[in-house]
Structures are given as structure tokens and as C-alpha cells.
Amino acid sequence: MLESIVLALGEITSGTHLFYLFGGVVMGLMVGIFPGLGGIVGLSLLLPFLYGMDPTSALAMLIGLVAIIPTSDTFTSVLMGIPGSSASQATVLDGFPLAKKGEAARALGAAFSASLYGGVVGAIVLTFFIVVARPIILLFTSAELFMLTILGLSMVGVLAGNCLPKGLLACGMGLMFGALGGAPATGEFRMSFDIPYLGDGLPLVVIGLAMFAVPEIIDLLRGGGAISRSQSLGKGWIQGLKDMWINKWLCTRCAGIGCMIGALPGLGGSVVDWIAYGHVKQTVKDSSQFGKGDIRGVLAPESANNAKEGGGLIPTLLFAIPGSGSMAVFLGGMELIGLEPGPSMVDGKLNLTYIIIWSLALANVIGAGLCLLISKPVARLTTIKYVYLAPFMIMVICFAAFQATRDLGDLLVLFAVGMLGILFKRFGWPRPAFLIGFVLAGNSETYLYQAVQFYDWGFLLRPGVIIIFVLTALSMWFGARNAPKEEADLGGTAAKTMNMRPQAMFAGLVVLMFAFGLYDGVQHSFLGAVYPVGICVVMLPLAIYLFYVTAANKTDNPANYDYEVEGDHVGRDGVPRLGYYLAWLGGFIAAVILIGFWLAITGFFLIFLRARSDASWLRILILTTAGVGFITALSWIMVLDFPGGLLQHYVKLPWPLS
Amino acid sequence: MKAHMHTSILAGAAVLGAAALAVPQPVAAQSVDFAGKRIEWIIPYGTGGGSNRWARFYVPWLQKALPGNPVVAVKNMPGASSTKGTNFFARRGSKDGLSILGTSGSTQFPFLLGDRRVKYDYADWEVILATPVGGVVYVNSKLGVKSAADMKKLQKVALKFGSQGPTSLDLVPLLAFEILGLNVKPVFGMKGRGPSRLAFERGEVRIDYQTTPAFLKRVMPLVKKGEAVPIMTWGTLDDNGKLVRDPTFPDLPHVGEVYKMMHGKAPRGPAWTAWQAFMAAGFPAQKMIFVKKGTPKHIVAAWRAAAAKAIALPGFEAAKNKALGKYDQAVGKRAQTLKKIATSVPPAAKKWVLDWLKRRYNKVP
């Protein structure tokens, strides 16, 4: 082992290796900064370069690319509230409020230093763990993996906000949205209305964008002004570095969590940052500022998600089972250059494995350093008047959403779930709880079914399952003990609404959703039905209870919340109604369906800027050219499609109009 | 031509930010030159699986062999059991040789079984190249089975098998196990053959199969460690369409031989006929490259010539043996024969399988 470490160290510090690593990082940064693209696009960009390169240099480039993606997607998460990938959804929760407070540079500084730190800690853990990992990982069977999804779901307790019924219902809705499409055990299509698009289930990227980005864009547009409410950028990234250092033990813990969960094949990386976020909220003394801009809410997921990539190397290298999208890319790349993953990675090829692990750590350092360098100028974006940014943001999220499955359905789901997100935000329903449910729906059902098939119900008595169960109970106990006493805090601050009718209508809608889930469920065979029906049976009474509370206008119930009465925009002049900008978005998507994305976005830029900003035609033209030119160049270079509309269906047009 | 338009539009967009309309140029009379063009290769599967690996393996060889050395860009379009990307090609693929499709056995099966989601017909496409593959069944060494000769022992054990679903390519193993009289219960919900193999390594399933490349790379290390024992293959078809041993594994008997070893006579009957038909659809021409019918003849000819040239390039044979197994890649006439076998099953076999799926798994594709 020691000899391998020395050999590997010699290799990674060589000039050529560093050069290619750096090249990969720069390339990944260019792709990763754009939300929704990430790994797969990165690979297609890199492929032409890989052929004919010697394996170690190609490997270095590949690692550089993979390492930077979970780091660079932090930019849009923090600055715009747009989760760049599923790995940065939790970062949005506190990162974006910090940007709004004018502390974007600090949040980015903290995020990147946490990424760097997490990446390095992950590499140290891996160095020792990988040698003994294989038998340990094989202990995690479907039974233990199922129990881990339960541990993940238990985080809902801390992410639920001050009204637990709403949190549970949000999570239940997430589970139902996740259960849509083919059932794991039987392949029956649930709640899919015979639409092929729905048969595959809803894509996580689209759900993340719809739940987080759409409501924020609408909210910012209505508020007028810029993202940052103060014109300064705060104390900058040095402060962020200090924040990281003060909380280094927290970051170490989260990096450990990220590394371990990332190492388990089949769980998927998307749950790691939520667990880290839940963990920090459970364990700190004062958690009242979480969700409003607590720097620790940025540090925890960011230190975990870079360590996760390191952990993800274990199933990739030892079992050839990639745990995440970027690891699938990495695996594909390894095979292209003729490296075979498998048990030999720790027998004969240990030095190669160490080269990979340490290059990943080094790429993290380089990548986070580069991001830190550019974070201050990029953070200036938050001081631009939002009405100018909005068309770019809408273009970016729609284009990113469309890359999920390249189907117009992606845009329709973005809009429909975006509306749900807006209502969640308005009535104070916790969106993270929904996301947790959604992320874990597929895995929890699949592993439960498989565990019962393999071990019968006796699986509940397996030692691993009991250990994880105890951990879950402990985590819930910590969470309950640590819950902020928000009722007391909120006592006299905001004026509660006296009219709960809108809330009652939404609660009624939730009741109907679960009722539909139940109705749809009972039409399927036992194995296809038991999971959604089980959820609905638990959730329906809760939803009916909430409907009762709101319909009976019990205004002193903690469930009572209406942003349209309590929000800080209330009473200001010139704030349009909630549906106003939603109609713009809807109009744009309708235009895409009619005339295709390229023409629609060009028109949208022109009309929107003319109607909503006071820019001159010249300025509007410049902005439109910049926006449309950028997206055109991007999609040409990366061989991406634009959504086509009815026009393209009937008339054959040249690219990019097609 | 598409690539021409890309560049002109790009330039136009950069200057004006508006569309510059490129005028399509007529195709030159007979000689085909793809220089400066970009060929879009639709793979209706994600980046994690074998079809993607197969396509990425072929890209550099095709680029070298095609006239003018164009860029071949793989475009992964997974979804709806591969019918999504394939439907997309059927609807939107161009007839100028710049848009090609790569299919796999799991694209053939929904078509053959009459899946509602299928909006494509193989008769509309010209085959350029076909890649045969095999499948190897292996068991946990703790079962005490050393080879197919001990199969009788296996009949007494209740076994579990990780599967993606009975209408996927797993139809072939599931039906084979049934014909052999093994007591195998499938556990569905596996997200590919990789996770099934992982379940094998964990000891959750004790019988599994992998296609040849995956077996060579991922299971052979387990065989060497003494954890797995290969017992049989699906076999392959000779030029007369007869089931023979898989050339990559000459020491392993195929399913028909194993049946004979167990029962003393060769297998026959509707189940066996149906199995052979679907095995032939799933494996001997598992992966194929297509252009659309209606593509000008000289362009189709140029593609066929390029495919033949690609597999004759120096270094190809060795690289192919390593990546795809020791199967002769089929081009020209042979590819067309294999396409025919892979995309048509006798109506009786189809009906038998549909009944079986309904009876056994309550599944209507």
C-alpha cells in the first residue's frame, strides 16, 4: 500500500499530469456552470480529445472534468436560486437567501472552500477505506439500502418547518410524484394517463428547477430591483473562507457522511446533500436562521457533495457500478481508454487507484481555487436589475429542463410543477420535504420490494437494518430536541392572515391529489399498487385534517401562512399579481409548442424586455443577440437540440430553427 | 449539409442574432464526401449501458472509414424502453446519410411483441452493420455445481434471478430456465444487468447471466476468485440458422445441449421454438446500425462500404475481440440476413410468448 502511495504521488505531481488535469477542470467548469448539463455533455465535449492520448493523461483530464462539476454548479444555486444539478439543491436553501442579503461573495467563498475541504477529506478517507471496501460494501444489501432510504426520509422532520403536518404531506406528495410511471416490481404504468412521457417518471432535474427556480424567478420579478437587496457584495470570499474554518468540524463530519453514502452503490448521490443539510440542522445549537441564510446551510451540503464524488469512485472502480451521472461518465471514459474497473483495482492496480483518488482531490483544489478567483466578479450579477436577467434565466431553465429527456413534456412539467412550487412557497409548504420524498421514492419502493423478495419480512431483523434503524431513531430524537421554538419567535412579528380561503383551496387540491393517487392505485395489481396506496392511506386523513383547519379558518393554527399577506412585498406599489409573470412563462412555453424554442426565445426576449423594462430598442437588440447567440453557440458546440414546435412538425426548417 | 447550415447560422447569429437562411445544396451526383459534416448517431439508451459502449467503441473506426472523415456524434436518447429515441429517429431522422440509428435487442423486442409505444418499423430502414453477441449463465460456486453436468442438482434448489422485467431481453433467460425445469423466481426492478450482477456478488441472487463483453470483463474476475461458475451459453446461429456453440466460449454447452444432458433427448415443442425465435431476435444481431430507406442509393452504398472498411482496418480485430467478444461483425449481405432473423419471428412463436407472458407474469406488452 505504502509503495503504491509513493508511486502514485510521483505520477500526479508530474508536469504533464497536472497540465491535463487543469485542462479537464477548465473544460468542466465551462460546462458545469451552466445548469442542467453536467456530466454527459462534458463527456461528449471531452471525447474527441481522449482518442489517441496516452491513458494517464486522458485519465487526468477525465478526473478534472468529473471533479469540477459538483463545484461549479454552485454558482447558479447560490446566485440565482437555480439548482445546477441534483447535487446542489440543498445549497439553494441557504445560499440564495445569502445572495439576496447581499452576501453572495461570502456564500460562494464558503461553498468553494467547503467543496475543496470536503474533496480533500474525502480523498484521505478513501485512501484507507478502498483497500477494505469490497466486503463492507457487499454487506449493504437491498434490506440495508431500504433502511437508508428511511433514514433519508426521516430528515423530513427537520426540514418540515414549523408545521409538521404540512411537512409530512409535502413529503408524501414528493413520494407520489416519484411513484409516477413504471412500477419497479411489475412495470405497470401508474398515474400516467397513457402518456408515454409520464411512463418513464418525472426527471429529477426538471422537478428541482420547477420547485426552486420557477418560484424564485417569479418572486424576484415581482419584487423589482436586483437579486441582492443591498448594492454591496458584503465582506467577500475571505469571510466565507473564515466561515469554513470556524466550522471545520462540521465540514469534516459532512465530508465523512458524503464519502460513505457516496460509496454505496445503488443509492444515488442525490440524497447525500439533503442528509448533510438535515444533519447540520439537527445538531447545531441555534437553527432558527436555516432557510433564511445561515452559512452552515451552505457549508454542509457543499462539503458533502464533493466528498461524495470521491466516495462514488468506490463502486465505480471496484464493481463498475456508477453511483451518479458524473461517475457513469467517468466509467465510460475509463473503458474508452482501456482501463478495466473491477476487484483488480485494489489488487494489482492499487497505484493506479491512488492516482485516481489523489487526482480527484487535486482537481478539487484546482477547481475550487478557480471558482474562488472568479466568484467576486460573477457575484456582481446579483446587483443587476432583475428584469434584465429574467429572460436569460427563463431561457436557461427551460433549455436545461429540456435537456433532461429532450421532450416537450419536460417544459410542460416544468410549468405545471412550477405552479405547484409557487403555491408551496405562497402557503409556506416546505419544498425540501417534497424534494426528499421525490428523490427517495423510487429507491425506497424498489429496495423494499426486493428486500421482501430476497429475505421475506425477516429482513427487518438483519443486524445492519437494526443499526441503521437505531441511527434513524437517534437522528429523529436529535432533530426533535433541537427544533427551534418558532411559534414563540413569530409571536407578534408578522400580521397573520384572517382569510384562509386560498389556503383551504390549496389543501383541498392536496386532498384531491391523494384521492386520485388512491383511485389510480387500486386499479393495479397488488405489487404495483401497494406502495402508492399505502402512502395515500396514510396521507389522506392528514390532508383532510389540514383542509378542515384551513376551511374552518382557524387562524391561530401554526399551519396558517400566506405569503401574499405576510410577505415583505405586501403593500408596495407596482407589484403585479402572483399569476402575472407565471402567465409570461406560460405564454413562452405555449410559443415554444407552436413555433419552436429558437423563435420563441427570440420573440420572448424582444417582447418581454420592451414591455417590462425601460430599455431602448438598441439595448434590447443587444441583449437579445447576446442571449440567443450564446444559447445557439452552446447547443451547436455540444450537439444539443432545441425543442421544436408544431411549426417544425409541418415545415422543414434549417437549424437552429428546426 | 446540416453541418454547413450550422456554421452559416452560427456566423449569422453571432453578427445579427437572427436567423441567416442557408440554401440547401443539391447532393453531388455520385461520389459521396462527408468531409466537414457531422453525423448524428442516435442511441436510444443512456450512457451507462452496453449499447452506449458499443457505439462509442465504433465511433473512431467509422470516422476513419467514412469518406471525408466526418465527425460522428453519439446522441443518447433513452426512455420508454428505448422506443422513445427510436421513434424519434423514425419521425425526424433525415434521409441523407447524416442521421443514423443504433438499436439493440431491447429495441427489437417491443417491436416484435407489439408494444403500444412502438411507432417504428424495421422494414423502413436499411441495415449497415450488425453486431452479434452471446450470453453466459453462471451460478454461485457455493451451490456445488461445477458445470452443466451437475444441472440436475440445481433443479432441486429454489433460485432467485435479478431482472429488469419479463418483456425485456430477460425474456430469453426466464424462458430458458423454465424450459430446463429450473426453479427460478425472478426479482424485478433491477435497473440493468450491472445491478443484477452486484446482487449476485452480494449473494442475494445465485444465478445470473451477462452478455459476452460484460461477462468477460466483470464476471471472469469472479470466476478466477472461485466465486462464480459459468455453466452454459445461449449459443449462436450458424449460417443455416442452426443453434451451435458460442465461438467465444467453445467449452461451454448451449441451452439445447444442456437440455439434452438433463433429459436425454433434444428439446422440442412450441416453447422451444419460441425460445429459439426470440433468442435469434435478441442476440445474433443484437446491435445494428441503420439508415432510413429512401436515402439515395449511392449514400447507402457509401455507408455499407465504410462499414466493411472499418472492420478491416488494422487493429480493429484485436480491439473488437477485447471490447465486444470474438464475433464476426456482419456487414453487407450477411448483415441483411441477420436483420431479417432479428426482426421477424414466426406468428406462432409470437403468440406463444404473448400467452406465456400473460399466464406467467400477467403482463401484456
Side-chain angles (χ1 to χ4, degrees):
Chain A
M1 184 176 159
L2 209 62
E3 193 197 330
S4 301
I5 291 180
V6 175
L7 264 172
L9 273 178
E11 172 65 34
I12 64 161
T13 45
S14 78
T16 33
H17 187 84
L18 282 174
F19 174 79
Y20 284 109
L21 196 67
F22 191 80
V25 168
V26 171
M27 212 159 183
L29 187 59
M30 292 190 299
V31 185
I33 204 162
F34 196 87
L37 298 185
I40 296 162
V41 174
L43 177 71
S44 17
L45 258 186
L46 194 58
L47 272 183
F49 295 89
L50 287 185
Y51 290 119
M53 272 169 72
D54 77 284
T56 22
S57 308
L59 194 65
M61 213 153 169
L62 206 55
I63 294 170
L65 182 94
V66 168
I68 186 73
I69 286 169
T71 309
S72 57
D73 61 14
T74 306
F75 278 113
T76 53
S77 307
V78 169
L79 299 179
M80 311 291 161
I82 297 176
S85 72
S86 51
S88 57
Q89 280 163 354
T91 313
V92 174
L93 293 190
D94 279 287
F96 191 51
L98 281 165
K100 286 206 236 173
K101 281 200 233 165
E103 299 188 40
R106 175 191 172 198
L108 287 177
F112 294 134
S113 47
S115 290
L116 187 157
Y117 185 77
V120 174
V121 170
I124 294 171
V125 173
L126 273 182
T127 302
F128 299 100
F129 184 56
I130 195 146
V131 197
V132 293
R134 192 168 180 268
I136 295 175
I137 282 175
L138 289 176
L139 286 177
F140 282 84
T141 66
S142 46
E144 284 77 17
L145 291 175
F146 166 70
M147 211 51 219
L148 277 172
T149 64
I150 298 296
L151 174 65
L153 285 172
S154 77
M155 293 297 168
V156 165
V158 280
L159 295 170
N162 62 340
C163 175
L164 192 62
K166 275 172 159 179
L168 292 176
L169 282 169
C171 176
M173 283 167 80
L175 287 170
M176 287 306 286
F177 273 69
L180 195 145
T186 60
E188 287 163 275
F189 296 118
R190 296 187 297 217
M191 298 176 277
S192 69
F193 306 98
D194 261 348
I195 301 169
Y197 175 82
L198 294 177
D200 281 337
L202 303 171
L204 174 59
V205 177
V206 180
I207 297 290
L209 289 170
M211 281 311 253
F212 289 112
V214 170
E216 297 308 333
I217 288 176
I218 303 257
D219 194 45
L220 285 166
L221 273 171
R222 291 176 74 209
I227 293 173
S228 167
R229 276 183 227 122
S230 65
Q231 275 300 307
S232 77
L233 283 173
K235 289 181 217 91
W237 58 273
I238 302 283
Q239 178 62 37
L241 267 174
K242 282 186 194 150
D243 289 322
M244 196 285 291
W245 192 246
I246 294 166
N247 293 293
K248 55 185 177 296
W249 294 118
L250 169 73
C251 294
T252 312
R253 285 201 309 274
C254 289
I257 294 173
C259 191
M260 288 304 153
I261 295 180
L264 296 176
L267 206 56
S270 33
V271 55
V272 166
D273 53 334
W274 289 115
I275 290 184
Y277 189 86
H279 169 75
V280 59
K281 209 175 161 188
Q282 277 170 345
T283 48
V284 297
K285 280 209 185 69
D286 172 20
S287 64
S288 62
Q289 288 308 305
F290 277 90
K292 298 170 195 151
D294 192 311
I295 197 74
R296 292 168 299 188
V298 175
L299 292 168
E302 284 302 312
S303 45
N305 72 21
N306 275 59
K308 173 201 81 190
E309 290 303 314
L313 279 176
I314 290 186
T316 314
L317 294 179
L318 295 185
F319 300 101
I321 305 272
S324 64
S326 44
M327 275 300 141
V329 171
F330 183 71
L331 182 64
M334 271 185 77
E335 288 178 333
L336 264 180
I337 52 185
L339 291 172
E340 275 311 322
S344 65
M345 293 305 289
V346 287
D347 287 343
K349 292 185 264 181
L350 191 60
N351 59 325
L352 187 66
T353 303
Y354 282 135
I355 291 177
I356 294 172
I357 292 175
W358 284 95
S359 299
L360 193 70
L362 196 61
N364 268 314
V365 174
I366 298 172
L370 275 179
C371 286
L372 274 177
L373 277 182
I374 59 171
S375 65
K376 186 129 194 200
V378 177
R380 281 190 200 288
L381 281 175
T382 57
T383 60
I384 295 173
K385 211 168 171 226
Y386 197 70
V387 73
Y388 292 118
L389 279 180
F392 287 94
M393 294 301 120
I394 288 175
M395 173 178 83
V396 163
I397 63 162
C398 289
F399 187 68
F402 180 73
Q403 299 312 322
T405 74
R406 298 192 181 117
D407 194 298
L408 273 180
D410 293 331
L411 294 182
L412 296 174
V413 169
L414 179 74
F415 185 71
V417 180
M419 267 199 291
L420 189 69
I422 289 168
L423 292 172
F424 263 55
K425 188 176 159 78
R426 170 167 177 185
F427 299 126
W429 287 57
R431 289 173 280 166
F434 179 92
L435 251 298
I436 282 239
F438 183 81
V439 166
L440 289 170
N443 277 339
S444 58
E445 182 180 5
T446 307
Y447 289 130
L448 175 61
Y449 163 72
Q450 292 184 350
V452 174
Q453 294 288 305
F454 285 133
Y455 307 103
D456 224 325
W457 286 99
F459 86 83
L460 290 168
L461 296 173
R462 290 170 62 88
V465 172
I466 292 173
I467 292 170
I468 302 169
F469 177 80
V470 170
L471 281 177
T472 309
L474 275 178
S475 120
M476 285 169 84
W477 180 71
F478 266 109
R481 202 191 55 163
N482 225 2
K485 309 278 176 285
E486 284 188 47
E487 289 90 333
D489 299 345
L490 287 171
T493 48
K496 287 275 170 198
T497 176
M498 285 299 135
N499 173 17
M500 292 173 74
R501 271 210 33 219
Q503 296 183 59
M505 283 162 74
F506 183 63
L509 184 73
V510 174
V511 173
L512 289 179
M513 279 188 192
F514 284 117
F516 173 74
L518 189 63
Y519 164 78
D520 180 88
V522 293
Q523 326 224 347
H524 296 294
S525 68
F526 175 76
L527 281 176
V530 61
Y531 184 81
V533 166
I535 293 167
C536 289
V537 165
V538 175
M539 290 295 160
L540 256 179
L542 206 57
I544 292 169
Y545 161 75
L546 203 72
F547 177 69
Y548 161 74
V549 166
T550 46
N553 220 27
K554 295 197 181 296
T555 49
D556 50 354
N557 190 290
N560 183 13
Y561 179 87
D562 192 337
Y563 186 67
E564 292 308 297
V565 177
E566 298 177 36
D568 49 12
H569 63 291
V570 176
R572 291 221 315 262
D573 288 338
V575 178
R577 290 171 62 93
L578 187 57
Y580 177 78
Y581 285 106
L582 189 65
W584 275 97
L585 180 63
F588 167 62
I589 290 174
V592 174
I593 293 169
L594 285 176
I595 56 174
F597 185 84
W598 202 87
L599 286 173
I601 195 64
T602 311
F604 182 76
F605 260 88
L606 295 172
I607 299 170
F608 180 85
L609 287 172
R610 188 65 197 169
R612 296 309 302 173
S613 76
D614 40 20
S616 65
W617 273 116
L618 178 69
R619 195 163 181 188
I620 292 175
L621 271 180
I622 293 173
L623 284 169
T624 307
T625 310
V628 176
F630 167 73
I631 203 89
T632 311
L634 184 85
S635 69
W636 191 82
I637 295 169
M638 298 183 185
V639 208
L640 300 175
D641 281 326
F642 290 123
L646 278 178
L647 177 69
Q648 283 75 10
H649 193 77
Y650 290 110
V651 189
K652 205 157 170 63
L653 292 167
W655 195 90
L657 299 177
S658 57
Chain B
M1 261 191 332
K2 202 165 172 193
H4 267 320
M5 284 172 198
H6 284 180
T7 26
S8 62
I9 294 290
L10 193 62
V15 181
L16 294 168
L21 292 170
V23 183
Q25 293 148 11
V27 180
Q30 279 303 314
S31 72
V32 177
D33 185 10
F34 289 127
K37 306 276 171 72
R38 180 148 75 180
I39 285 157
E40 195 175 82
W41 188 359
I42 292 172
I43 296 294
Y45 296 91
T47 44
S51 296
N52 179 58
R53 277 202 293 276
W54 166 75
R56 307 264 177 195
F57 165 78
Y58 258 110
V59 163
W61 302 101
L62 288 176
Q63 289 185 155
K64 259 179 237 164
L66 282 161
N69 307 104
V71 174
V72 176
V74 171
K75 190 160 157 188
N76 299 92
M77 283 188 100
S81 315
S82 90
T83 59
K84 184 180 166 174
T86 314
N87 285 336
F88 177 86
F89 175 79
R91 202 172 61 242
R92 301 277 288 274
S94 63
K95 293 178 180 172
D96 52 6
L98 294 181
S99 154
I100 61 173
L101 173 74
T103 69
S104 179
S106 332
T107 322
Q108 269 97 269
F109 275 29
F111 170 74
L112 293 172
L113 292 170
D115 190 308
R116 287 178 297 149
R117 293 169 294 180
V118 170
K119 306 245 166 15
Y120 52 87
D121 187 341
Y122 280 87
D124 296 338
W125 307 329
E126 304 270 10
V127 65
I128 300 300
L129 178 140
T131 297
V133 76
V136 186
V137 178
Y138 57 99
V139 296
N140 191 313
S141 58
K142 291 197 190 107
L143 287 168
V145 173
K146 298 268 176 282
S147 74
D150 304 336
M151 282 297 267
K152 282 248 175 210
K153 225 194 265 179
L154 214 52
Q155 264 180 318
K156 298 184 192 89
V157 196
L159 295 169
K160 295 203 171 81
F161 172 73
S163 167
Q164 287 170 274
T167 53
S168 70
L169 265 186
D170 290 345
L171 193 156
V172 173
L174 289 173
L175 190 49
F177 297 149
E178 183 164 313
I179 290 170
L180 292 175
L182 298 181
N183 179 7
V184 174
K185 191 164 170 275
V187 174
F188 297 120
M190 296 287 168
K191 290 188 181 71
R193 299 270 10 120
S196 305
R197 171 180 47 82
L198 190 62
F200 179 91
E201 289 190 54
R202 282 180 194 137
E204 288 186 314
V205 303
R206 291 185 291 177
I207 187 165
D208 188 41
Y209 106 90
Q210 296 288 330
T211 56
T212 305
F215 181 86
L216 292 175
K217 287 177 187 170
R218 314 273 186 250
V219 185
M220 274 317 277
L222 303 178
V223 173
K224 281 182 191 141
K225 282 173 95 169
E227 293 174 13
V229 180
I231 49 174
M232 64 178 174
T233 71
W234 303 142
T236 193
L237 300 180
D238 69 7
D239 287 342
N240 306 316
K242 194 172 166 284
L243 192 65
V244 293
R245 281 199 179 189
D246 187 318
T248 315
F249 308 97
D251 299 335
L252 288 178
H254 61 69
V255 180
E257 291 177 81
V258 173
Y259 184 94
K260 204 168 173 193
M261 289 156 82
M262 292 170 80
H263 299 91
K265 55 178 196 274
R268 49 199 299 225
W272 178 246
T273 316
W275 183 82
Q276 277 186 300
F278 277 86
M279 196 287 282
F283 292 90
Q286 185 174 70
K287 304 198 194 299
M288 289 182 273
I289 301 177
F290 292 106
V291 298
K292 276 190 162 174
K293 265 204 179 120
T295 303
K297 281 213 163 54
H298 63 284
I299 295 182
V300 178
W303 262 105
R304 292 208 160 120
K309 189 175 161 198
I311 63 170
L313 283 170
F316 177 88
E317 190 65 17
K320 182 261 304 178
N321 285 347
K322 209 165 155 230
L324 308 174
K326 288 177 192 152
Y327 305 97
D328 289 333
Q329 306 298 297
V331 293
K333 275 268 170 319
R334 192 160 157 254
Q336 293 176 47
T337 314
L338 283 177
K339 176 202 163 188
K340 201 154 178 219
I341 295 173
T343 57
S344 54
V345 291
K350 177 181 170 182
K351 184 169 180 308
W352 191 92
V353 162
L354 287 174
D355 289 345
W356 177 73
L357 285 170
K358 179 85 182 108
R359 186 176 73 233
R360 202 82 163 70
Y361 300 105
N362 192 24
K363 183 98 186 159
V364 181

